[in-house]
Coordinates of all heavy atoms in Angstrom, one line a residue:
M7 N 4.4 -29.3 5.2 CA 5.5 -28.4 4.6 C 5.0 -27.0 4.4 O 5.5 -26.2 3.6 CB 5.9 -29.0 3.2 CG 6.8 -30.2 3.4 SD 7.5 -30.7 1.8 CE 6.4 -32.0 1.4
G8 N 3.9 -26.7 5.0 CA 3.4 -25.3 5.0 C 2.5 -25.0 3.8 O 2.1 -23.9 3.6
C9 N 2.3 -26.0 3.0 CA 1.4 -25.8 1.8 C 0.1 -25.3 2.1 O -0.5 -24.4 1.5 CB 1.2 -27.2 1.0 SG 2.7 -28.1 0.8
Y10 N -0.5 -25.8 3.3 CA -1.9 -25.4 3.6 C -1.9 -23.9 4.2 O -3.0 -23.3 4.3 CB -2.5 -26.3 4.6 CG -3.0 -27.6 3.9 CD1 -2.2 -28.7 3.9 CD2 -4.2 -27.6 3.3 CE1 -2.7 -29.9 3.2 CE2 -4.7 -28.7 2.7 CZ -3.9 -29.9 2.6 OH -4.4 -31.0 2.0
N11 N -0.7 -23.4 4.5 CA -0.7 -22.0 5.0 C -1.2 -21.1 3.9 O -1.8 -20.1 4.1 CB 0.7 -21.6 5.4 CG 1.1 -22.2 6.7 OD1 0.3 -22.7 7.5 ND2 2.4 -22.3 6.9
C12 N -0.9 -21.4 2.7 CA -1.3 -20.6 1.5 C -2.4 -21.2 0.7 O -3.3 -20.5 0.2 CB -0.1 -20.3 0.6 SG 1.2 -19.4 1.4
H13 N -2.4 -22.5 0.6 CA -3.4 -23.2 -0.2 C -4.6 -23.8 0.6 O -5.4 -24.6 0.1 CB -2.7 -24.3 -1.0 CG -1.7 -23.8 -2.0 ND1 -2.1 -23.0 -3.0 CD2 -0.4 -24.0 -2.0 CE1 -0.9 -22.7 -3.7 NE2 0.1 -23.3 -3.1
G14 N -4.7 -23.4 1.9 CA -5.8 -23.9 2.7 C -7.1 -23.2 2.4 O -7.3 -22.6 1.4
Q15 N -8.0 -23.4 3.3 CA -9.4 -22.8 3.2 C -9.6 -21.9 4.4 O -9.8 -22.5 5.5 CB -10.4 -24.0 3.1 CG -11.7 -23.6 2.6 CD -11.7 -23.1 1.2 OE1 -11.6 -21.9 1.0 NE2 -11.8 -24.0 0.2
P16 N -9.6 -20.6 4.3 CA -9.5 -19.8 3.1 C -8.0 -19.8 2.7 O -7.1 -19.8 3.5 CB -10.0 -18.5 3.5 CG -9.6 -18.4 5.0 CD -9.8 -19.8 5.5
P17 N -7.7 -19.6 1.4 CA -6.4 -19.5 0.9 C -5.8 -18.1 1.2 O -6.5 -17.2 1.5 CB -6.5 -19.7 -0.6 CG -7.9 -19.3 -0.9 CD -8.7 -19.6 0.3
L18 N -4.5 -18.1 1.2 CA -3.8 -16.8 1.5 C -3.8 -15.9 0.2 O -3.4 -16.4 -0.8 CB -2.4 -17.0 1.9 CG -1.6 -15.8 2.3 CD1 -1.9 -15.4 3.8 CD2 -0.1 -16.0 2.2
K19 N -4.4 -14.7 0.4 CA -4.4 -13.8 -0.7 C -4.9 -14.5 -2.0 O -5.9 -15.0 -2.1 CB -3.1 -13.1 -0.9 CG -2.8 -12.1 0.2 CD -1.6 -11.3 -0.1 CE -0.7 -11.3 1.2 NZ 0.7 -11.1 0.8
N20 N -4.0 -14.5 -3.0 CA -4.4 -14.9 -4.4 C -4.0 -16.4 -4.6 O -4.0 -16.9 -5.8 CB -3.8 -14.0 -5.5 CG -2.3 -13.8 -5.3 OD1 -1.8 -14.3 -4.3 ND2 -1.7 -13.2 -6.2
A21 N -3.6 -17.1 -3.6 CA -3.2 -18.5 -3.8 C -4.4 -19.4 -4.1 O -5.5 -19.2 -3.5 CB -2.5 -19.0 -2.5
P22 N -4.3 -20.3 -5.0 CA -5.4 -21.2 -5.4 C -5.6 -22.2 -4.2 O -4.6 -22.5 -3.5 CB -4.9 -22.0 -6.6 CG -3.5 -21.4 -6.9 CD -3.1 -20.5 -5.9
T23 N -6.8 -22.7 -4.0 CA -7.1 -23.6 -2.9 C -6.5 -25.0 -3.4 O -6.2 -25.2 -4.6 CB -8.6 -23.8 -2.7 OG1 -9.2 -24.3 -3.9 CG2 -9.3 -22.5 -2.3
M24 N -6.4 -25.9 -2.4 CA -5.9 -27.3 -2.7 C -6.8 -27.9 -3.7 O -6.4 -28.6 -4.6 CB -5.9 -28.1 -1.4 CG -4.6 -28.0 -0.7 SD -3.2 -28.7 -1.6 CE -1.9 -28.2 -0.4
A25 N -8.1 -27.7 -3.6 CA -9.1 -28.3 -4.5 C -8.8 -27.8 -6.0 O -8.9 -28.5 -6.9 CB -10.5 -27.9 -4.1
R26 N -8.5 -26.5 -6.1 CA -8.2 -25.9 -7.4 C -6.9 -26.5 -7.9 O -6.8 -26.8 -9.1 CB -8.1 -24.4 -7.2 CG -7.9 -23.6 -8.4 CD -9.1 -23.5 -9.3 NE -8.8 -23.0 -10.6 CZ -8.6 -23.9 -11.6 NH1 -8.6 -25.2 -11.5 NH2 -8.3 -23.4 -12.8
L27 N -5.9 -26.7 -7.0 CA -4.6 -27.3 -7.5 C -4.8 -28.7 -7.9 O -4.2 -29.1 -8.9 CB -3.6 -27.2 -6.3 CG -3.1 -25.9 -5.8 CD1 -2.0 -26.1 -4.8 CD2 -2.5 -25.1 -7.0
A28 N -5.7 -29.4 -7.2 CA -5.9 -30.8 -7.6 C -6.6 -30.9 -8.9 O -6.3 -31.8 -9.7 CB -6.8 -31.5 -6.5
E29 N -7.5 -30.0 -9.1 CA -8.3 -29.9 -10.4 C -7.3 -29.7 -11.5 O -7.4 -30.4 -12.6 CB -9.2 -28.7 -10.3 CG -10.5 -28.9 -11.1 CD -11.4 -27.6 -10.7 OE1 -12.1 -27.7 -9.7 OE2 -11.3 -26.7 -11.5
K30 N -6.4 -28.8 -11.3 CA -5.4 -28.5 -12.4 C -4.5 -29.7 -12.6 O -4.2 -30.1 -13.8 CB -4.6 -27.3 -11.9 CG -4.0 -26.5 -13.1 CD -3.6 -25.1 -12.6 CE -2.8 -24.5 -13.8 NZ -2.2 -23.2 -13.4
A31 N -4.0 -30.3 -11.5 CA -3.0 -31.4 -11.6 C -3.7 -32.6 -12.2 O -3.0 -33.4 -12.9 CB -2.4 -31.7 -10.3
A32 N -5.0 -32.8 -12.0 CA -5.7 -33.9 -12.5 C -5.6 -34.0 -14.0 O -5.8 -35.1 -14.6 CB -7.2 -33.9 -12.0
K33 N -5.4 -32.9 -14.7 CA -5.3 -32.9 -16.1 C -4.1 -33.7 -16.6 O -4.0 -34.2 -17.7 CB -5.2 -31.5 -16.7 CG -6.5 -30.7 -16.5 CD -6.3 -29.3 -17.1 CE -7.4 -28.4 -16.6 NZ -6.9 -27.0 -16.5
S34 N -3.1 -33.9 -15.7 CA -1.9 -34.6 -16.0 C -1.9 -36.0 -15.5 O -0.9 -36.7 -15.5 CB -0.7 -33.9 -15.5 OG -0.7 -32.6 -16.0
R35 N -3.0 -36.4 -14.9 CA -3.1 -37.8 -14.2 C -2.8 -38.9 -15.2 O -3.3 -38.9 -16.3 CB -4.5 -38.0 -13.6 CG -4.6 -39.3 -12.9 CD -5.8 -39.4 -12.0 NE -7.0 -38.8 -12.6 CZ -8.0 -38.2 -11.9 NH1 -8.0 -38.2 -10.6 NH2 -9.0 -37.8 -12.5
G36 N -1.9 -39.8 -14.8 CA -1.5 -40.9 -15.6 C -0.5 -40.5 -16.7 O -0.1 -41.4 -17.4
D37 N -0.2 -39.3 -16.9 CA 0.8 -38.9 -17.9 C 2.1 -38.5 -17.2 O 2.3 -37.4 -16.7 CB 0.2 -37.6 -18.6 CG 1.1 -37.2 -19.8 OD1 2.3 -37.5 -19.8 OD2 0.6 -36.5 -20.6
E38 N 3.0 -39.5 -17.2 CA 4.3 -39.3 -16.4 C 5.0 -38.1 -16.8 O 5.5 -37.4 -16.0 CB 5.1 -40.6 -16.6 CG 4.7 -41.8 -15.8 CD 4.6 -41.5 -14.3 OE1 5.6 -41.0 -13.8 OE2 3.6 -41.7 -13.7
A39 N 5.2 -37.9 -18.1 CA 5.9 -36.8 -18.6 C 5.3 -35.4 -18.2 O 6.1 -34.5 -17.7 CB 6.0 -36.8 -20.1
A40 N 4.0 -35.3 -18.3 CA 3.3 -34.1 -17.9 C 3.4 -33.8 -16.4 O 3.6 -32.7 -16.0 CB 1.9 -34.1 -18.3
L41 N 3.4 -34.9 -15.6 CA 3.5 -34.8 -14.1 C 4.9 -34.3 -13.8 O 5.0 -33.4 -12.9 CB 3.2 -36.1 -13.4 CG 1.7 -36.6 -13.4 CD1 1.6 -38.0 -12.9 CD2 0.9 -35.7 -12.6
K42 N 5.9 -34.8 -14.4 CA 7.3 -34.4 -14.2 C 7.5 -33.0 -14.5 O 8.1 -32.2 -13.8 CB 8.2 -35.3 -15.0 CG 8.5 -36.6 -14.3 CD 9.8 -37.2 -14.9 CE 10.3 -38.4 -14.0 NZ 9.4 -39.6 -14.1
K43 N 6.9 -32.6 -15.6 CA 7.0 -31.2 -16.1 C 6.4 -30.2 -15.1 O 7.0 -29.2 -14.8 CB 6.3 -31.1 -17.5 CG 7.1 -30.3 -18.5 CD 6.6 -30.4 -19.9 CE 6.3 -29.1 -20.5 NZ 5.4 -29.2 -21.7
R44 N 5.2 -30.6 -14.6 CA 4.5 -29.7 -13.6 C 5.4 -29.6 -12.4 O 5.5 -28.5 -11.8 CB 3.2 -30.3 -13.2 CG 2.1 -29.9 -14.1 CD 0.7 -30.5 -13.6 NE -0.2 -30.4 -14.7 CZ -0.9 -29.3 -15.0 NH1 -0.8 -28.2 -14.3 NH2 -1.8 -29.3 -16.0
A45 N 6.0 -30.7 -11.9 CA 6.8 -30.7 -10.7 C 8.0 -29.8 -10.9 O 8.4 -29.1 -10.0 CB 7.2 -32.1 -10.3
E46 N 8.6 -29.9 -12.1 CA 9.8 -29.1 -12.3 C 9.5 -27.7 -12.4 O 10.2 -26.8 -11.9 CB 10.4 -29.6 -13.7 CG 11.4 -30.7 -13.5 CD 11.7 -31.4 -14.8 OE1 11.7 -30.8 -15.8 OE2 12.1 -32.6 -14.7
A47 N 8.3 -27.3 -13.1 CA 7.9 -25.9 -13.2 C 7.7 -25.3 -11.8 O 8.1 -24.2 -11.5 CB 6.7 -25.8 -14.0
L48 N 7.1 -26.1 -10.9 CA 6.8 -25.7 -9.6 C 8.1 -25.3 -8.8 O 8.3 -24.3 -8.3 CB 6.0 -26.8 -8.8 CG 5.5 -26.4 -7.4 CD1 4.4 -25.3 -7.5 CD2 5.0 -27.6 -6.7
R49 N 9.1 -26.2 -8.9 CA 10.4 -26.1 -8.2 C 11.2 -24.9 -8.8 O 11.9 -24.2 -8.1 CB 11.2 -27.3 -8.4 CG 11.2 -28.2 -7.1 CD 11.8 -29.5 -7.3 NE 12.9 -29.5 -8.3 CZ 14.2 -29.2 -8.0 NH1 14.5 -28.8 -6.7 NH2 15.1 -29.2 -8.9
A50 N 11.1 -24.8 -10.1 CA 11.9 -23.8 -10.8 C 11.3 -22.4 -10.6 O 12.0 -21.4 -11.0 CB 12.0 -24.1 -12.3
G51 N 10.2 -22.3 -10.0 CA 9.6 -21.0 -9.8 C 9.1 -20.4 -11.2 O 9.1 -19.2 -11.4
A52 N 8.7 -21.4 -12.1 CA 8.3 -21.0 -13.4 C 6.9 -20.5 -13.5 O 6.3 -20.3 -14.6 CB 8.5 -22.1 -14.4
L53 N 6.2 -20.4 -12.3 CA 4.9 -19.8 -12.3 C 4.9 -18.3 -12.5 O 6.0 -17.8 -12.7 CB 4.1 -20.2 -11.0 CG 4.2 -21.7 -10.6 CD1 3.5 -21.9 -9.3 CD2 3.6 -22.5 -11.7
R54 N 3.8 -17.7 -12.4 CA 3.8 -16.2 -12.5 C 4.7 -15.6 -11.5 O 5.3 -14.6 -11.7 CB 2.4 -15.7 -12.4 CG 1.7 -15.5 -13.8 CD 0.2 -15.5 -13.6 NE -0.3 -16.8 -13.2 CZ -1.5 -16.9 -12.7 NH1 -2.3 -15.9 -12.5 NH2 -1.9 -18.1 -12.3
R55 N 4.8 -16.2 -10.3 CA 5.6 -15.6 -9.3 C 6.4 -16.8 -8.6 O 5.8 -17.8 -8.4 CB 4.9 -14.8 -8.3 CG 4.1 -15.7 -7.3 CD 3.0 -14.9 -6.5 NE 1.9 -14.6 -7.4 CZ 1.3 -13.4 -7.3 NH1 1.6 -12.6 -6.4 NH2 0.3 -13.2 -8.2
P56 N 7.7 -16.5 -8.2 CA 8.4 -17.6 -7.5 C 8.0 -17.6 -6.1 O 7.9 -16.6 -5.5 CB 9.9 -17.1 -7.7 CG 9.8 -15.7 -8.0 CD 8.5 -15.3 -8.5
I57 N 7.8 -18.8 -5.5 CA 7.4 -19.0 -4.1 C 8.5 -19.8 -3.4 O 8.8 -20.9 -3.9 CB 6.0 -19.7 -4.1 CG1 5.0 -19.0 -4.9 CG2 5.6 -19.9 -2.6 CD1 4.2 -17.9 -4.3
A58 N 9.0 -19.3 -2.3 CA 10.1 -20.0 -1.6 C 9.7 -21.4 -1.3 O 10.5 -22.3 -1.5 CB 10.5 -19.2 -0.4
A59 N 8.5 -21.6 -0.8 CA 8.1 -23.0 -0.4 C 8.1 -23.9 -1.6 O 8.3 -25.1 -1.4 CB 6.7 -22.9 0.2
H60 N 7.8 -23.4 -2.8 CA 7.9 -24.3 -3.9 C 9.3 -24.6 -4.3 O 9.7 -25.7 -4.6 CB 7.3 -23.6 -5.2 CG 5.8 -23.3 -5.0 ND1 5.2 -22.4 -5.8 CD2 4.9 -23.7 -4.1 CE1 3.9 -22.3 -5.5 NE2 3.7 -23.1 -4.4
Q61 N 10.2 -23.6 -4.2 CA 11.6 -23.8 -4.7 C 12.4 -24.6 -3.7 O 13.4 -25.1 -4.1 CB 12.2 -22.4 -4.9 CG 11.4 -21.6 -6.0 CD 12.0 -20.2 -6.3 OE1 11.9 -19.4 -5.4 NE2 12.6 -20.0 -7.4
R62 N 12.0 -24.7 -2.5 CA 12.7 -25.5 -1.5 C 12.5 -27.0 -1.7 O 13.2 -27.8 -1.1 CB 12.1 -25.1 -0.1 CG 13.0 -24.1 0.7 CD 12.7 -24.1 2.2 NE 11.3 -24.0 2.5 CZ 10.7 -22.9 2.8 NH1 11.3 -21.7 2.7 NH2 9.4 -22.8 3.1
L63 N 11.5 -27.4 -2.4 CA 11.1 -28.8 -2.6 C 12.2 -29.5 -3.4 O 12.8 -29.0 -4.3 CB 9.8 -28.9 -3.4 CG 8.5 -28.4 -2.7 CD1 7.4 -28.4 -3.7 CD2 8.2 -29.3 -1.5
S64 N 12.5 -30.7 -2.9 CA 13.4 -31.6 -3.7 C 12.7 -32.0 -4.9 O 11.5 -32.0 -4.9 CB 13.9 -32.8 -2.9 OG 12.8 -33.7 -2.7
P65 N 13.4 -32.5 -6.0 CA 12.7 -33.0 -7.2 C 11.8 -34.1 -6.8 O 10.6 -34.2 -7.3 CB 13.8 -33.5 -8.0 CG 15.1 -32.8 -7.6 CD 14.9 -32.5 -6.1
E66 N 12.2 -35.0 -5.9 CA 11.4 -36.1 -5.5 C 10.1 -35.7 -4.8 O 9.0 -36.2 -5.0 CB 12.1 -37.1 -4.5 CG 13.3 -37.8 -5.2 CD 14.5 -36.9 -5.4 OE1 14.6 -35.8 -4.6 OE2 15.3 -37.1 -6.3
A67 N 10.3 -34.7 -3.9 CA 9.1 -34.2 -3.1 C 8.1 -33.5 -4.0 O 6.9 -33.7 -3.9 CB 9.6 -33.3 -2.0
A68 N 8.6 -32.7 -4.9 CA 7.7 -32.0 -5.9 C 6.9 -33.0 -6.7 O 5.7 -32.8 -6.9 CB 8.6 -31.1 -6.8
E69 N 7.6 -34.0 -7.1 CA 6.9 -35.0 -8.0 C 5.8 -35.7 -7.2 O 4.7 -36.0 -7.7 CB 7.9 -36.0 -8.6 CG 7.6 -36.4 -10.0 CD 8.7 -37.3 -10.5 OE1 9.9 -36.9 -10.6 OE2 8.4 -38.5 -10.8
L70 N 6.2 -36.1 -6.0 CA 5.3 -36.8 -5.1 C 4.0 -36.0 -4.8 O 2.9 -36.5 -4.9 CB 6.0 -37.1 -3.8 CG 5.5 -38.4 -3.0 CD1 5.9 -39.6 -3.8 CD2 6.2 -38.4 -1.7
L71 N 4.3 -34.7 -4.6 CA 3.1 -33.8 -4.2 C 2.3 -33.6 -5.5 O 1.0 -33.6 -5.4 CB 3.7 -32.5 -3.7 CG 4.2 -32.5 -2.3 CD1 5.1 -31.4 -2.0 CD2 3.0 -32.5 -1.3
I72 N 2.9 -33.4 -6.6 CA 2.1 -33.2 -7.8 C 1.3 -34.5 -8.1 O 0.1 -34.4 -8.5 CB 3.0 -32.9 -9.0 CG1 3.6 -31.5 -8.8 CG2 2.2 -32.9 -10.4 CD1 2.7 -30.3 -9.0
R73 N 1.9 -35.6 -7.9 CA 1.2 -36.9 -8.2 C 0.0 -37.0 -7.2 O -1.1 -37.4 -7.6 CB 2.2 -38.1 -7.9 CG 1.8 -39.4 -8.6 CD 2.8 -40.4 -8.4 NE 4.1 -40.1 -8.9 CZ 4.5 -40.2 -10.1 NH1 3.7 -40.7 -11.0 NH2 5.7 -39.9 -10.5
W74 N 0.2 -36.7 -6.0 CA -0.8 -36.7 -4.9 C -2.0 -35.8 -5.3 O -3.1 -36.1 -5.3 CB -0.2 -36.3 -3.6 CG -1.1 -36.1 -2.5 CD1 -1.8 -37.1 -1.8 CD2 -1.4 -34.9 -1.9 NE1 -2.6 -36.5 -0.8 CE2 -2.4 -35.1 -0.8 CE3 -1.0 -33.5 -2.1 CZ2 -2.9 -34.1 0.0 CZ3 -1.5 -32.5 -1.2 CH2 -2.5 -32.8 -0.2
L75 N -1.6 -34.6 -5.8 CA -2.6 -33.6 -6.2 C -3.4 -34.2 -7.4 O -4.6 -34.0 -7.5 CB -2.0 -32.3 -6.6 CG -1.6 -31.3 -5.4 CD1 -0.7 -30.2 -6.0 CD2 -2.8 -30.8 -4.8
S76 N -2.7 -34.8 -8.3 CA -3.3 -35.3 -9.5 C -4.3 -36.4 -9.2 O -5.2 -36.6 -10.0 CB -2.3 -35.8 -10.5 OG -1.8 -37.1 -10.2
E77 N -4.2 -37.0 -8.1 CA -5.1 -38.1 -7.7 C -6.2 -37.5 -6.8 O -6.9 -38.2 -6.1 CB -4.3 -39.2 -7.0 CG -3.6 -40.0 -8.0 CD -2.4 -40.8 -7.4 OE1 -2.3 -40.8 -6.2 OE2 -1.6 -41.3 -8.2
G78 N -6.3 -36.2 -6.8 CA -7.4 -35.5 -6.0 C -7.0 -35.2 -4.6 O -7.9 -34.9 -3.8
A79 N -5.7 -35.2 -4.3 CA -5.2 -34.9 -3.0 C -6.0 -35.6 -1.9 O -6.6 -35.0 -1.0 CB -5.3 -33.4 -2.7
P80 N -6.1 -36.9 -1.9 CA -6.9 -37.7 -0.9 C -6.3 -37.5 0.5 O -5.1 -37.4 0.7 CB -6.7 -39.1 -1.4 CG -5.4 -39.2 -2.2 CD -5.3 -37.8 -2.8
Ligands
HEC22 C1 3.7 -18.5 0.5 C2 2.4 -19.1 0.0 C3 2.5 -20.5 -0.6 C4 3.0 -21.6 -0.1 C5 3.6 -21.8 1.4 C6 2.8 -22.7 -1.1 N1 2.3 -22.1 -2.2 FE1 1.8 -23.1 -3.9 N2 1.2 -21.4 -4.8 C7 1.2 -20.2 -4.2 C8 0.6 -19.2 -5.1 C9 0.4 -17.7 -4.8 C10 0.4 -19.9 -6.3 C11 -0.1 -19.3 -7.6 C12 1.2 -18.8 -8.4 C13 0.9 -18.2 -9.7 O1 0.0 -18.6 -10.4 O2 1.6 -17.3 -10.0 C14 0.8 -21.3 -6.1 C15 0.7 -22.3 -7.0 C16 0.9 -23.6 -6.8 C17 0.6 -24.7 -7.7 C18 0.1 -24.5 -9.1 C19 1.1 -24.7 -10.2 C20 0.5 -24.5 -11.5 O3 0.7 -25.3 -12.4 O4 -0.2 -23.5 -11.7 C21 0.9 -25.8 -7.1 C22 0.8 -27.2 -7.7 C23 1.3 -25.5 -5.8 N3 1.3 -24.1 -5.6 C24 1.7 -26.4 -4.8 C25 2.2 -26.1 -3.6 C26 2.7 -27.1 -2.6 C27 2.7 -28.6 -2.9 C28 3.1 -26.4 -1.5 C29 3.8 -27.0 -0.3 C30 5.1 -27.6 -0.5 C31 2.9 -25.0 -1.8 N4 2.3 -24.9 -3.0 C32 3.2 -24.0 -0.9 C33 1.5 -19.9 -2.9 C34 2.1 -20.8 -2.0

């Protein structure tokens, strides 16, 4: 879905690496409510800047990706 275009190694400009995203998401591991909240924030463009690739995600896809990240992006 193009995530690695920005979050790859090296990352695009100021985008965090996948490892960094996984580290952040891991704080919500096992916490369903927190994972949902992170997924919604991503989709809603509630970060410092809105990113089209984030906002295009369906609620299901966003949640799946956050869950995957929270497990260390295996
Ligand atoms: C056009 C570049 C770009 C693409 C493509 C992109 N991202 Fe991002 N993403 C960013 C940037 C930049 C940030 C940091 C935003 C900020 O902190 O303001 C970010 C932040 C994030 C965060 C951190 C949210 C948080 O809680 O801080 C997650 C998770 C994330 N992206 C997941 C994804 C996933 C999954 C995809 C693929 C569907 C994706 N991104 C595609 C640029 C991108």
Side-chain angles (χ1 to χ4, degrees):
M7 284 190 265
C9 314
Y10 281 97
N11 290 338
C12 295
H13 295 296
Q15 196 65 266
L18 185 80
K19 289 188 226 153
N20 50 356
T23 60
M24 274 294 174
R26 183 77 196 91
L27 293 183
E29 212 173 274
K30 206 165 170 188
K33 291 184 196 144
S34 307
R35 182 164 40 205
D37 183 340
E38 283 302 309
L41 288 172
K42 279 202 166 68
K43 224 169 124 194
R44 270 182 200 279
E46 273 166 27
L48 187 66
R49 257 171 36 83
L53 309 178
R54 266 160 291 162
R55 74 196 72 216
I57 306 273
H60 297 164
Q61 296 179 295
R62 265 200 304 270
L63 293 169
S64 69
E66 293 76 24
E69 217 178 296
L70 208 68
L71 283 161
I72 293 288
R73 201 178 301 277
W74 171 72
L75 280 168
S76 78
E77 283 156 12

